[in-house]
Short mmCIF file of all heavy atoms in Angstrom, two decimals:
data_model
loop_
_atom_site.label_atom_id
_atom_site.label_comp_id
_atom_site.label_asym_id
_atom_site.label_seq_id
_atom_site.Cartn_x
_atom_site.Cartn_y
_atom_site.Cartn_z
N ARG A 1 0.86 -1.23 0.00
CA ARG A 1 0.02 0.05 -0.01
C ARG A 1 0.85 1.29 0.04
O ARG A 1 0.63 2.25 -0.81
CB ARG A 1 -0.98 -0.01 1.22
CG ARG A 1 -1.86 1.21 1.11
CD ARG A 1 -2.58 1.34 2.47
NE ARG A 1 -3.37 0.17 2.90
CZ ARG A 1 -4.61 0.00 2.53
NH1 ARG A 1 -5.31 0.94 1.79
NH2 ARG A 1 -5.41 -1.13 2.96
N MET A 2 1.83 1.23 0.94
CA MET A 2 2.77 2.43 0.92
C MET A 2 3.51 2.68 -0.37
O MET A 2 3.73 3.75 -0.88
CB MET A 2 3.77 2.27 2.04
CG MET A 2 3.28 2.36 3.46
SD MET A 2 2.20 3.78 3.82
CE MET A 2 0.45 3.11 3.69
N ARG A 3 3.93 1.53 -0.97
CA ARG A 3 4.61 1.58 -2.34
C ARG A 3 3.55 2.19 -3.39
O ARG A 3 4.07 3.00 -4.15
CB ARG A 3 5.14 0.24 -2.79
CG ARG A 3 5.94 0.32 -4.16
CD ARG A 3 6.49 -0.96 -4.38
NE ARG A 3 7.59 -1.26 -3.54
CZ ARG A 3 7.56 -2.20 -2.61
NH1 ARG A 3 6.50 -3.04 -2.46
NH2 ARG A 3 8.42 -2.52 -1.81
N SER A 4 2.44 1.80 -3.34
CA SER A 4 1.43 2.25 -4.28
C SER A 4 1.16 3.87 -4.18
O SER A 4 0.60 4.42 -5.09
CB SER A 4 0.07 1.50 -4.16
OG SER A 4 -0.64 1.93 -3.09
N TRP A 5 1.40 4.36 -3.11
CA TRP A 5 1.23 5.79 -2.80
C TRP A 5 2.48 6.66 -3.30
O TRP A 5 2.31 7.89 -3.39
CB TRP A 5 0.99 6.07 -1.21
CG TRP A 5 -0.43 5.64 -0.77
CD1 TRP A 5 -1.36 5.10 -1.51
CD2 TRP A 5 -0.76 5.69 0.54
NE1 TRP A 5 -2.41 4.84 -0.77
CE2 TRP A 5 -2.17 5.28 0.63
CE3 TRP A 5 -0.15 6.12 1.74
CZ2 TRP A 5 -2.96 5.18 1.76
CZ3 TRP A 5 -0.85 5.95 2.95
CH2 TRP A 5 -2.32 5.48 2.94
N ILE A 6 3.56 6.07 -3.70
CA ILE A 6 4.63 6.73 -4.16
C ILE A 6 4.42 7.27 -5.59
O ILE A 6 4.07 6.42 -6.44
CB ILE A 6 5.97 6.00 -3.99
CG1 ILE A 6 6.39 5.50 -2.65
CG2 ILE A 6 7.15 6.70 -4.76
CD1 ILE A 6 7.48 4.60 -2.59
N PRO A 7 4.53 8.54 -5.73
CA PRO A 7 4.07 8.99 -7.22
C PRO A 7 5.12 8.37 -8.17
O PRO A 7 6.23 8.07 -7.89
CB PRO A 7 4.39 10.54 -7.00
CG PRO A 7 4.25 10.83 -5.61
CD PRO A 7 4.69 9.60 -4.85
N ALA A 8 4.56 8.05 -9.39
CA ALA A 8 5.26 7.46 -10.47
C ALA A 8 6.57 8.21 -10.83
O ALA A 8 7.56 7.81 -11.18
CB ALA A 8 4.49 7.25 -11.67
N ALA A 9 6.41 9.60 -10.71
CA ALA A 9 7.57 10.48 -11.08
C ALA A 9 8.70 10.33 -10.00
O ALA A 9 9.85 10.83 -10.27
CB ALA A 9 7.08 11.85 -11.14
N CYS A 10 8.40 9.80 -8.88
CA CYS A 10 9.36 9.62 -7.81
C CYS A 10 9.55 8.16 -7.43
O CYS A 10 9.67 7.89 -6.23
CB CYS A 10 9.11 10.47 -6.62
SG CYS A 10 8.83 12.28 -6.97
N ALA A 11 9.55 7.34 -8.37
CA ALA A 11 9.50 5.87 -8.09
C ALA A 11 10.61 5.42 -7.28
O ALA A 11 10.57 4.27 -6.63
CB ALA A 11 9.29 5.08 -9.39
N ASP A 12 11.75 6.11 -7.23
CA ASP A 12 12.94 5.61 -6.50
C ASP A 12 12.92 5.96 -5.10
O ASP A 12 13.82 5.70 -4.36
CB ASP A 12 14.19 6.17 -7.28
CG ASP A 12 14.28 7.69 -7.33
OD1 ASP A 12 13.21 8.28 -7.24
OD2 ASP A 12 15.32 8.19 -7.43
N ILE A 13 11.79 6.50 -4.63
CA ILE A 13 11.82 6.84 -3.18
C ILE A 13 11.67 5.50 -2.40
O ILE A 13 10.90 4.63 -2.77
CB ILE A 13 10.56 7.75 -2.82
CG1 ILE A 13 10.81 9.10 -3.32
CG2 ILE A 13 10.33 7.71 -1.31
CD1 ILE A 13 9.69 10.14 -3.02
N GLY A 14 12.47 5.35 -1.44
CA GLY A 14 12.54 4.04 -0.74
C GLY A 14 11.56 4.03 0.43
O GLY A 14 10.87 5.06 0.72
N ILE A 15 11.27 2.80 1.00
CA ILE A 15 10.49 2.65 2.16
C ILE A 15 11.28 2.06 3.24
O ILE A 15 12.03 1.01 3.10
CB ILE A 15 9.31 1.62 1.80
CG1 ILE A 15 8.35 2.30 0.74
CG2 ILE A 15 8.49 1.34 3.03
CD1 ILE A 15 7.24 1.31 0.33
N ALA A 16 11.22 2.80 4.42
CA ALA A 16 11.95 2.33 5.68
C ALA A 16 10.92 2.07 6.69
O ALA A 16 9.83 2.70 6.86
CB ALA A 16 12.83 3.43 6.06
N ILE A 17 11.14 0.89 7.52
CA ILE A 17 10.40 0.61 8.69
C ILE A 17 11.30 0.62 9.91
O ILE A 17 11.97 -0.24 10.15
CB ILE A 17 9.61 -0.74 8.55
CG1 ILE A 17 8.77 -0.66 7.33
CG2 ILE A 17 8.94 -0.96 9.80
CD1 ILE A 17 8.02 -1.97 7.16
N THR A 18 11.47 1.85 10.48
CA THR A 18 12.47 2.21 11.35
C THR A 18 12.11 1.99 12.86
O THR A 18 12.90 2.06 13.78
CB THR A 18 13.04 3.61 11.14
OG1 THR A 18 12.00 4.47 11.39
CG2 THR A 18 13.70 3.77 9.79
N GLU A 19 10.82 1.42 12.98
CA GLU A 19 10.48 0.81 14.32
C GLU A 19 9.51 -0.32 14.00
O GLU A 19 8.50 -0.08 13.32
CB GLU A 19 9.88 1.84 15.27
CG GLU A 19 10.83 2.61 16.04
CD GLU A 19 10.18 3.38 17.25
OE1 GLU A 19 9.10 2.96 17.73
OE2 GLU A 19 10.82 4.42 17.66
N TYR A 20 9.80 -1.36 14.59
CA TYR A 20 8.80 -2.59 14.43
C TYR A 20 9.28 -3.56 15.69
O TYR A 20 10.45 -3.42 16.10
CB TYR A 20 8.87 -3.32 13.19
CG TYR A 20 10.16 -4.07 12.93
CD1 TYR A 20 10.22 -5.44 13.20
CD2 TYR A 20 11.34 -3.43 12.40
CE1 TYR A 20 11.35 -6.17 13.06
CE2 TYR A 20 12.49 -4.20 12.21
CZ TYR A 20 12.51 -5.55 12.53
OH TYR A 20 13.62 -6.24 12.28
N ASN A 21 8.41 -4.40 16.02
CA ASN A 21 8.75 -5.49 16.91
C ASN A 21 7.62 -6.56 16.88
O ASN A 21 6.51 -6.13 17.04
CB ASN A 21 8.87 -4.92 18.35
CG ASN A 21 9.54 -5.88 19.27
OD1 ASN A 21 8.98 -6.98 19.54
ND2 ASN A 21 10.59 -5.48 19.98
N TRP A 22 8.06 -7.82 16.74
CA TRP A 22 7.14 -8.81 16.47
C TRP A 22 7.23 -9.88 17.64
O TRP A 22 7.03 -11.06 17.41
CB TRP A 22 7.31 -9.48 15.19
CG TRP A 22 6.04 -9.32 14.27
CD1 TRP A 22 4.97 -10.07 14.34
CD2 TRP A 22 5.71 -8.19 13.53
NE1 TRP A 22 3.85 -9.48 13.50
CE2 TRP A 22 4.39 -8.36 12.99
CE3 TRP A 22 6.38 -6.95 13.20
CZ2 TRP A 22 3.72 -7.52 12.10
CZ3 TRP A 22 5.84 -6.15 12.36
CH2 TRP A 22 4.51 -6.41 11.76
N GLY A 23 7.37 -9.38 18.87
CA GLY A 23 7.39 -10.30 19.94
C GLY A 23 8.54 -10.06 20.88
O GLY A 23 9.59 -9.70 20.45
N PRO A 24 8.28 -10.36 22.27
CA PRO A 24 9.32 -10.26 23.19
C PRO A 24 10.55 -11.09 22.91
O PRO A 24 10.50 -12.09 22.20
CB PRO A 24 8.66 -10.70 24.44
CG PRO A 24 7.19 -10.41 24.22
CD PRO A 24 6.88 -10.66 22.79
N ASP A 25 11.64 -10.75 23.42
CA ASP A 25 12.97 -11.39 23.10
C ASP A 25 13.00 -12.84 23.30
O ASP A 25 13.60 -13.53 22.55
CB ASP A 25 14.14 -10.76 23.90
CG ASP A 25 14.38 -9.29 23.41
OD1 ASP A 25 13.76 -8.83 22.46
OD2 ASP A 25 15.32 -8.70 24.02
N ASP A 26 12.40 -13.42 24.26
CA ASP A 26 12.51 -14.71 24.57
C ASP A 26 11.27 -15.65 24.33
O ASP A 26 11.02 -16.64 25.04
CB ASP A 26 13.02 -14.95 26.06
CG ASP A 26 14.56 -14.93 26.19
OD1 ASP A 26 15.22 -15.45 25.34
OD2 ASP A 26 15.01 -14.16 27.03
N THR A 27 10.42 -15.25 23.37
CA THR A 27 9.32 -15.99 23.02
C THR A 27 9.80 -16.84 21.80
O THR A 27 10.51 -16.48 20.99
CB THR A 27 8.15 -15.22 22.64
OG1 THR A 27 8.50 -14.25 21.60
CG2 THR A 27 7.48 -14.48 23.81
N ASP A 28 9.32 -18.09 21.69
CA ASP A 28 9.69 -18.97 20.66
C ASP A 28 9.12 -18.45 19.31
O ASP A 28 9.72 -18.39 18.33
CB ASP A 28 9.21 -20.38 20.86
CG ASP A 28 9.78 -21.04 22.06
OD1 ASP A 28 10.90 -20.83 22.26
OD2 ASP A 28 9.08 -21.85 22.77
N SER A 29 7.84 -18.13 19.43
CA SER A 29 7.13 -17.58 18.18
C SER A 29 7.77 -16.15 17.77
O SER A 29 7.74 -15.85 16.61
CB SER A 29 5.69 -17.38 18.40
OG SER A 29 5.37 -16.60 19.43
N GLY A 30 8.33 -15.44 18.76
CA GLY A 30 8.82 -14.10 18.40
C GLY A 30 10.17 -14.37 17.66
O GLY A 30 10.43 -13.60 16.79
N ALA A 31 10.90 -15.42 17.93
CA ALA A 31 12.19 -15.68 17.24
C ALA A 31 11.83 -16.05 15.75
O ALA A 31 12.43 -15.48 14.85
CB ALA A 31 12.85 -16.83 17.85
N VAL A 32 10.79 -16.82 15.60
CA VAL A 32 10.43 -17.19 14.13
C VAL A 32 9.87 -15.97 13.48
O VAL A 32 10.16 -15.75 12.24
CB VAL A 32 9.38 -18.36 14.22
CG1 VAL A 32 8.92 -18.76 12.80
CG2 VAL A 32 10.11 -19.62 14.91
N ALA A 33 9.04 -15.22 14.15
CA ALA A 33 8.53 -14.02 13.56
C ALA A 33 9.58 -13.00 13.15
O ALA A 33 9.51 -12.44 12.06
CB ALA A 33 7.51 -13.42 14.49
N GLN A 34 10.67 -12.93 13.95
CA GLN A 34 11.67 -11.94 13.59
C GLN A 34 12.38 -12.44 12.27
O GLN A 34 12.68 -11.54 11.46
CB GLN A 34 12.76 -11.95 14.73
CG GLN A 34 13.87 -11.10 14.41
CD GLN A 34 13.52 -9.63 14.14
OE1 GLN A 34 12.96 -8.98 15.06
NE2 GLN A 34 13.71 -9.10 12.88
N ALA A 35 12.54 -13.80 12.15
CA ALA A 35 13.33 -14.27 10.92
C ALA A 35 12.29 -14.09 9.83
O ALA A 35 12.70 -13.60 8.69
CB ALA A 35 13.54 -15.72 11.02
N GLU A 36 11.02 -14.25 9.93
CA GLU A 36 10.05 -14.08 8.87
C GLU A 36 9.92 -12.62 8.48
O GLU A 36 9.76 -12.21 7.29
CB GLU A 36 8.67 -14.75 9.15
CG GLU A 36 7.62 -14.56 8.11
CD GLU A 36 6.85 -15.81 7.93
OE1 GLU A 36 7.26 -16.92 8.19
OE2 GLU A 36 5.76 -15.64 7.38
N ALA A 37 9.93 -11.74 9.36
CA ALA A 37 9.78 -10.25 9.21
C ALA A 37 10.90 -9.85 8.24
O ALA A 37 10.68 -9.11 7.23
CB ALA A 37 9.80 -9.41 10.48
N LEU A 38 12.14 -10.29 8.57
CA LEU A 38 13.29 -10.00 7.81
C LEU A 38 13.16 -10.63 6.32
O LEU A 38 13.54 -9.87 5.27
CB LEU A 38 14.55 -10.44 8.32
CG LEU A 38 14.91 -9.69 9.65
CD1 LEU A 38 16.10 -10.44 10.23
CD2 LEU A 38 15.12 -8.32 9.45
N GLY A 39 12.57 -11.71 6.12
CA GLY A 39 12.27 -12.29 4.84
C GLY A 39 11.40 -11.51 4.12
O GLY A 39 11.46 -11.27 2.84
N ILE A 40 10.25 -11.01 4.80
CA ILE A 40 9.24 -10.14 4.14
C ILE A 40 9.93 -8.79 3.76
O ILE A 40 9.68 -8.37 2.62
CB ILE A 40 8.14 -9.89 5.08
CG1 ILE A 40 7.32 -11.16 5.28
CG2 ILE A 40 7.27 -8.83 4.61
CD1 ILE A 40 6.28 -11.10 6.61
N PHE A 41 10.73 -8.13 4.61
CA PHE A 41 11.42 -7.02 4.22
C PHE A 41 12.29 -7.10 2.98
O PHE A 41 12.24 -6.20 1.98
CB PHE A 41 12.20 -6.42 5.29
CG PHE A 41 11.42 -6.05 6.58
CD1 PHE A 41 12.17 -5.94 7.85
CD2 PHE A 41 10.07 -5.73 6.62
CE1 PHE A 41 11.43 -5.59 9.03
CE2 PHE A 41 9.41 -5.35 7.77
CZ PHE A 41 10.13 -5.31 8.87
#
């Protein structure tokens, strides 16, 4: 959605997600979610 909002004339504008967190440090699912989030990025 955010990429679709970038005007065609400025298509090289990047997207940064400079804060996120997908679970407390010592949750099993949080570890897997962290790996998957990086794969998605």
